[in-house]
Amino acid sequence: MFNLMKTAVLMAAITALFMVIGRLLGGQQGMVLALLLALGMNFFSYWFSDKMVLRMYNAQEVDAQSAPQFYRLVQELAANAGLPMPRVYLINEDAPNAFATGRNPQHAAVAATTGILRVLTERELRGVMAHELAHVQHRDILISTISATMAGAIGMLANFAMIFGGRDEEGRPVNPIVSILVMILAPIAASLIQMAISRAREFEADRGGAEISGDPMALASALQKIHRYAQGIPLEAAEAHPETAQMMIMNPLSGRGLSGLFSTHPATEERVERLMALAQAQGRRA
């Protein structure tokens, strides 16, 4: 519940930031134009995200014949979650990672690298895939698209102001010092909020995945193991397309943000601590 409330507050914050920046730099017309452009681009990304991302990672679809154990594992977890069976993909990469994509539960896909199948036990893999199905259940692709729309629109307003100069709603030039500060700081603030939303959704998917699998410690163990292995094994497709990093169960990029502020994922230690607390709470209830 806390993470749901946190997401709602952050979504309201990025929307409010867009409206304030829009009024300040572009007036009502500039604000509407930037929003429409961002909506158009992100709607396309949202609608076709599954095809685009799976192609970027050269993912190969599998079924009950080509990958029986993995396919049945996903099938059982989807049934536990009350979700339609997603399409299942494997990515021929040594780096251990996984992600979910698709615009809604009826058009969802889950993908895992061959590396993660080798590194994890079946129990740990169940925890990971339950986490990915929780993203589907929570419609996190839609949430990330909305936050990306707002952040993109704020960036466009800053670019418009840089090229044409900031104008208020009556068409008067904005104070140049204020305009420059806003152009620099507004996109940074939008990115910080967007990353905070992503981290909140990861925490919520950890919790939801633990409920789907019924085994919080399996996901905790998997996260620790992925964290250790992923440090020295680059995921080339993610490095080439860093915008996809937020989809992964673990940040696949070699670079790290300043104190985690620009990180798309929470610290692994904190995720594990929360899962351990959840496991203890479940033990007490049992």
Side-chain angles (χ1 to χ4, degrees):
M1 182 61 70
F2 171 76
N3 284 310
L4 290 174
M5 292 177 60
K6 183 177 179 181
T7 301
V9 170
L10 289 167
M11 293 294 286
I14 199 168
T15 303
L17 178 64
F18 167 70
M19 296 189 72
V20 169
I21 301 304
R23 291 278 182 178
L24 183 62
L25 291 182
Q28 187 170 356
Q29 289 183 336
M31 182 173 65
V32 171
L33 177 60
L35 180 60
L36 288 176
L37 286 172
L39 275 172
M41 291 189 300
N42 283 285
F43 176 78
F44 178 85
S45 298
Y46 169 66
W47 201 261
F48 298 105
S49 62
D50 53 346
K51 296 180 179 63
M52 291 189 297
V53 173
L54 292 166
R55 192 178 300 117
M56 287 175 188
Y57 283 81
N58 194 27
Q60 303 299 312
E61 188 168 5
V62 297
D63 56 23
Q65 283 70 49
S66 55
Q69 190 173 355
F70 181 51
Y71 189 87
R72 279 198 301 270
L73 181 149
V74 175
Q75 194 171 41
E76 290 170 8
L77 291 169
N80 290 351
L83 291 169
M85 180 61 186
R87 288 169 292 134
V88 182
Y89 289 81
L90 284 176
I91 301 165
N92 188 23
E93 288 276 0
D94 289 332
N97 230 311
F99 65 84
T101 186
R103 62 185 183 272
N104 56 40
Q106 289 71 37
H107 298 86
V110 293
T113 63
T114 51
I116 204 171
L117 268 63
R118 286 194 295 270
V119 166
L120 301 185
T121 65
E122 183 176 348
R123 178 188 171 214
E124 291 166 339
L125 186 61
R126 285 179 64 85
V128 167
M129 299 318 295
H131 168 102
E132 297 308 331
L133 288 171
H135 277 307
V136 174
Q137 192 176 56
H138 300 159
R139 296 179 180 264
D140 284 337
I141 301 299
L142 176 60
I143 293 173
S144 65
T145 300
I146 294 171
S147 66
T149 295
M150 293 293 107
I154 290 169
M156 284 183 185
L157 280 170
N159 289 334
F160 290 163
M162 193 174 298
I163 296 170
F164 302 110
R167 300 271 172 178
D168 64 18
E169 198 164 351
E170 275 117 32
R172 294 172 301 198
V174 177
N175 183 305
I177 296 175
V178 172
S179 182
I180 290 170
L181 286 173
V182 171
M183 282 186 282
I184 294 171
L185 297 178
I188 295 174
S191 294
L192 288 173
I193 297 173
Q194 187 183 3
M195 296 303 100
I197 291 170
S198 177
R199 292 193 294 273
R201 301 319 300 156
E202 287 301 316
F203 279 133
E204 192 63 19
D206 285 347
R207 184 198 60 77
E211 289 183 358
I212 291 170
S213 69
D215 189 358
M217 291 308 298
L219 179 56
S221 176
L223 289 173
Q224 290 174 315
K225 195 176 284 187
I226 294 168
H227 182 79
R228 287 197 303 272
Y229 277 88
Q231 297 295 309
I233 309 175
L235 185 53
E236 299 297 339
E239 296 286 351
H241 304 281
E243 69 277 8
T244 64
Q246 65 176 338
M247 301 175 62
M248 302 289 170
I249 191 166
M250 186 75 65
N251 188 351
L253 302 180
S254 55
R256 295 291 183 265
L258 291 172
S259 303
L261 285 176
F262 287 95
S263 175
T264 55
H265 294 66
T268 302
E269 295 81 3
E270 187 174 359
R271 296 173 73 179
V272 169
E273 286 174 8
R274 292 191 182 202
L275 286 164
M276 291 175 67
L278 183 59
Q280 290 174 351
Q282 287 182 351
R284 287 195 296 270
R285 287 197 296 269

